[in-house]
Amino acid sequence: MFCVLAVTVAVMLGQVALRATAGAQDPLDLPSVAPLGQPRELKLPNGKSQRDEIVKADYKKNLQDAAELVELSQEIRDELQQSDAYIVPLKTVKKLEDLEKLSRNIRGRLKRN
């Protein structure tokens, strides 16, 4: 029984060694890898960091969306002041849905960064 186990282990080790030597490449051909726990920094063709450019674009979009939120909320306030207590125009409900969508988009971008 020990002999069969020893032969099996030897065959398995031989196969592992063959796979290791068959798959070996020149170390210069391997892609660069970041240390564990740290993502590799991607660069754009112009040399800038991709992550930095995404953060800047998100910041600009957040400012635009925030300005639109302010405008929508003022319009909603005005429409609610003009309407009856029991009747709300459908246009106002649509604006409220747009306001929610904008706030979700801003929150999503902030969580991502």
Side-chain angles (χ1 to χ4, degrees):
M1 174 94 171
F2 177 72
C3 185
V4 172
L5 181 62
V7 170
T8 304
V9 170
V11 169
M12 290 172 61
L13 287 175
Q15 289 177 351
V16 170
L18 285 175
R19 286 186 197 145
T21 57
Q25 296 179 351
D26 184 20
L28 299 176
D29 292 338
L30 296 176
S32 62
V33 178
L36 290 175
Q38 296 178 355
R40 196 171 97 196
E41 185 71 24
L42 296 176
K43 298 288 183 181
L44 296 174
N46 61 5
K48 295 183 179 180
S49 169
Q50 182 181 15
R51 187 178 186 322
D52 290 346
E53 293 299 312
I54 291 172
V55 169
K56 287 178 186 176
D58 283 350
Y59 175 74
K60 288 180 183 178
K61 185 65 177 160
N62 285 341
L63 289 177
Q64 291 173 353
D65 285 353
E68 192 172 344
L69 274 173
V70 170
E71 182 180 322
L72 271 174
S73 64
Q74 290 172 349
E75 290 175 9
I76 292 169
R77 183 193 63 207
D78 294 341
E79 289 174 5
L80 288 175
Q81 287 174 348
Q82 294 173 358
S83 68
D84 188 19
Y86 297 106
I87 299 173
V88 177
L90 188 60
K91 180 173 63 172
T92 304
V93 174
K94 172 73 170 108
K95 286 182 182 181
L96 284 168
E97 290 171 355
D98 292 342
L99 188 126
E100 287 181 54
K101 182 180 175 184
L102 284 170
S103 65
R104 267 184 281 146
N105 289 342
I106 292 172
R107 185 177 7 182
R109 282 191 293 269
L110 291 175
K111 284 183 178 180
R112 180 175 61 197
N113 297 326

